[in-house]
């Protein structure tokens, strides 16, 4: 196994804040993780079973790059070799067999088949060629249990096909892969609340979003909705109803941009778009809850500007301006300032999501979310809910006017406050 020394570089010591709106998060200085450059995709998951999120990425050399998380800090671990032509496009962390170890699926491009990396007990990986041909245009895939047998399958977009896992990491393609048309984006999601993962895909020209319902791993077209938008999309539950929606970014003339959200209606169809306008638009959008309010937000990147725009979700499909983070590391060449992928994940384990960037020649950049988390059960304010809070609560038992031990603000410290404290124990 090739390893790189553990190293991180803090690029600045100032703090930037997404100002103005309520619940606006605060972010610390960007951290450049040593080990890899020219990253083009990112995914997170717990590779080690230690409860911390690790990261895998792919780079322009066609390699899969693994970053392990130790105590909330990422460090580059290994480049995974290839069995074929070096052209890996994206990678996902998933458990592919019954050994209870997290593995990696890497989607191949061109003449390269998709690659399976099975993690061993010593944290090395064995490589298996899946035999499933790679993708040529707009590569995209997603992983989940498609047929209800509790193992991870995956769906590819170009060509479109469902690949079912037999539980041992052997995949069988369902039906004949659909070669045309060329789709631009896709994601698995819930569109009808039947307990099965459905599928959404975008065809930018002529401009449609298609929904497909799932029945035991077989996907059937449910609805098609027109899009009068541009070529940037995100999939998430933007109106907090448990269904997957579609956001797209439309660049307005002469300036500005509008985010349009199509909310799922529950039968595979979509509502009329909900519009949110922004005067200083991003060039790309990525979903994730960045202010820990349980509502999915959008994070936008301004190419060449070294800044990130935060669009806070209101919970009804609309967004408000959350300000900008202007501390993203840049270089002289505008091309290398591009963000090829952006991931929202709680890397440091503090309860709120950080921002990770596949930042081309800057490699992997982590922007830590330093927003203080309001935890009423932390009655002594030391940052943890533990035995000291329990002792303070028991010491204040009974009638209590506006005291911190009255967690639910009922006017008394009682069994209900005790249950809240125990539920938040850390």
């Amino acid at each position: 196994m090739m390893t790189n020394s553990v190293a991180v570089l803090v690029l600045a010591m100032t703090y930037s804040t997404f100002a103005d709106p309520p619940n606006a998060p605060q972010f610390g200085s960007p951290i450049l993780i040593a080990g890899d450059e020219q990253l083009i995709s990112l995914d997170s998951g717990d590779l080690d079973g230690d409860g911390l999120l690790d990261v895998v990425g792919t780079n322009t050399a066609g390699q899969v790059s693994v970053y392990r998380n130790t105590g909330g800090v990422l460090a580059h671990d290994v480049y995974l070799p290839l069995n074929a032509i070096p052209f890996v496009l994206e990678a996902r962390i998933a458990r592919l067999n019954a050994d209870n170890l997290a593995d990696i699926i890497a989607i191949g491009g061109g003449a390269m088949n998709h690659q399976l990396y099975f993690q061993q007990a010593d944290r090395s990986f064995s490589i298996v060629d899946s035999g499933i041909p790679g993708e040529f245009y707009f590569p995209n895939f997603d992983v989940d249990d498609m047929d209800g047998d509790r193992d991870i399958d995956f769906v590819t977009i170009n060509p479109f096909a469902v690949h079912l896992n037999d539980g041992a990491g052997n995949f069988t393609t369902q039906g004949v892969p659909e070669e045309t048309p060329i789709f631009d984006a896709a994601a698995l999601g819930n569109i009808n609340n039947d307990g099965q993962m459905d599928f959404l895909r975008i065809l930018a020209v002529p401009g449609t979003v298609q929904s497909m319902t799932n029945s035991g791993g077989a996907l059937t077209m449910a609805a098609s909705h027109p899009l009068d938008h541009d070529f940037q999309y995100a999939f998430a539950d933007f109106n907090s109803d448990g269904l997957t929606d579609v956001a797209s970014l439309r660049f307005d003339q002469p300036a500005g941009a509008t985010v349009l959200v199509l909310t799922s209606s529950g039968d595979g169809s979509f509502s009329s778009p909900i519009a949110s306008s922004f005067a200083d638009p991003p060039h790309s959008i990525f979903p994730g809850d960045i202010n820990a309010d349980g509502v999915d937000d959008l994070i936008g990147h301004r190419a060449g500007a070294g800044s990130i725009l935060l669009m806070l979700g209101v919970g009804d499909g609309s967004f408000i301006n959350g300000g900008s983070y202007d501390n993203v590391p840049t270089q002289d060449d505008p091309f290398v300032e591009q963000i090829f992928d952006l991931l929202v994940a709680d890397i440091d384990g503090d309860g709120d999501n950080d921002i990770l960037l596949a930042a081309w020649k800057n490699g992997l950049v982590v922007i830590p979310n330093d927003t203080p988390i309001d935890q009423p059960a932390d009655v002594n304010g030391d940052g943890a809910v533990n035995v000291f809070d329990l002792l303070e609560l028991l010491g204040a038992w009974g009638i209590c006017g506006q005291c911190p031990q009255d967690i639910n603000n009922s006017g008394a410290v009682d069994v209900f406050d005790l249950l809240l404290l125990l539920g938040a124990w850390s």
Side-chain angles (χ1 to χ4, degrees):
M1 178 184 298
M2 294 184 298
T3 60
N4 285 10
S5 59
V6 177
V8 295
L9 174 64
V10 178
L11 299 177
M13 294 306 295
T14 59
Y15 283 75
S16 297
T17 301
F18 289 101
D20 299 328
N23 300 322
Q26 299 173 350
F27 287 82
S29 303
I31 301 170
L32 176 61
I33 308 300
D36 198 6
E37 294 183 350
Q38 301 182 0
L39 285 172
I40 57 175
S41 77
L42 296 171
D43 189 41
S44 66
D46 184 3
L47 280 171
D48 310 319
D50 60 0
L52 296 173
L53 292 178
D54 308 295
V55 173
V56 298
T58 58
N59 60 29
T60 55
Q63 299 167 313
V64 175
S65 194
V66 178
Y67 298 82
R68 302 275 184 175
N69 190 337
T70 303
V73 177
L74 290 173
H76 187 260
D77 178 43
V78 64
Y79 296 108
L80 297 180
L82 302 170
N83 270 347
I85 299 171
F87 191 13
V88 169
L89 301 169
E90 294 185 29
R92 298 282 189 273
I93 297 173
R95 282 185 169 85
L96 302 180
N97 54 21
D99 65 3
N100 206 34
L101 297 173
D103 309 302
I104 298 171
I105 303 177
I107 186 170
M112 180 177 176
N113 293 338
H114 304 321
Q115 304 291 294
L116 309 176
Y117 297 87
F118 293 95
Q119 188 171 200
Q120 308 301 303
D122 62 357
R123 306 207 311 181
S124 65
F125 291 85
S126 64
I127 311 169
V128 175
D129 190 312
S130 70
I132 300 171
E135 302 197 14
F136 283 87
Y137 305 101
F138 296 99
N140 193 282
F141 80 124
D142 211 348
V143 300
D144 212 299
D145 179 11
M146 296 299 294
D147 53 2
D149 61 357
R150 299 186 179 182
D151 51 38
I152 295 297
D153 314 299
F154 70 101
V155 181
T156 52
I157 176 174
N158 292 314
F160 167 70
V162 178
H163 311 283
L164 298 181
N165 189 348
D166 66 358
N170 303 305
F171 290 87
T172 302
T173 301
Q174 294 294 98
V176 178
E178 178 184 312
E179 297 290 346
T180 57
I182 302 301
F183 289 92
D184 300 87
L188 293 170
N190 172 27
I191 61 174
N192 58 3
N193 272 330
D194 66 352
Q196 301 187 79
M197 294 304 297
D198 308 302
F199 195 62
L200 297 163
R201 59 186 187 179
I202 301 289
L203 183 61
V205 179
T208 57
V209 53
Q210 297 178 354
S211 64
M212 306 182 76
T213 56
N214 181 14
S215 178
L219 294 174
T220 304
M221 186 70 67
S224 181
H225 195 288
L227 287 173
D228 182 22
H229 313 158
D230 213 283
F231 292 89
Q232 295 295 327
Y233 311 99
F235 304 90
D237 178 13
F238 296 114
N239 62 345
S240 303
D241 64 354
L243 300 174
T244 304
D245 311 308
V246 181
S248 62
L249 183 66
R250 183 187 69 198
F251 297 104
D252 300 327
Q253 297 296 331
T258 300
V259 172
L260 299 108
V261 173
L262 298 175
T263 58
S264 291
S265 300
D267 58 0
S269 63
F270 298 91
S271 67
S272 298
I274 300 169
S276 303
S277 296
F278 297 90
D280 194 5
H283 295 87
S284 55
I285 53 175
F286 304 86
D289 180 10
I290 206 64
N291 59 346
D293 63 353
V295 178
D296 281 311
D297 310 303
L298 286 174
I299 302 94
H301 173 250
R302 297 191 183 103
S307 65
I308 290 173
L309 174 68
L310 188 64
M311 295 163 276
L312 298 178
V314 176
D316 61 359
S318 64
F319 299 88
I320 59 175
N321 194 335
S324 63
Y325 179 90
D326 301 315
N327 217 8
V328 178
T330 61
Q331 299 188 25
D332 293 334
D333 184 350
F335 178 74
V336 303
E337 294 173 9
Q338 293 189 49
I339 300 300
F340 280 77
D341 200 4
L342 184 152
L343 181 68
V344 173
D346 183 11
I347 295 300
D348 52 16
D350 64 353
D352 51 27
N353 284 322
D354 311 298
I355 297 176
L356 288 78
L357 309 175
W360 190 242
K361 287 191 176 180
N362 284 310
L364 177 59
V365 176
V366 178
I367 302 176
N369 190 340
D370 292 341
T371 308
I373 297 177
D374 183 20
Q375 176 51 273
D378 179 20
V379 296
N380 65 358
D382 66 354
V385 180
N386 52 31
V387 66
F388 300 108
D389 301 293
L390 176 61
L391 291 174
E392 286 205 19
L393 185 144
L394 295 176
W397 198 270
I399 301 300
C400 178
Q402 296 184 339
C403 65
Q405 295 84 357
D406 180 16
I407 297 172
N408 63 358
N409 295 314
S410 66
V413 179
D414 51 25
V415 67
F416 299 106
D417 300 295
L418 177 60
L419 291 173
L420 289 172
L421 186 145
L422 294 176
W425 198 273
S426 59

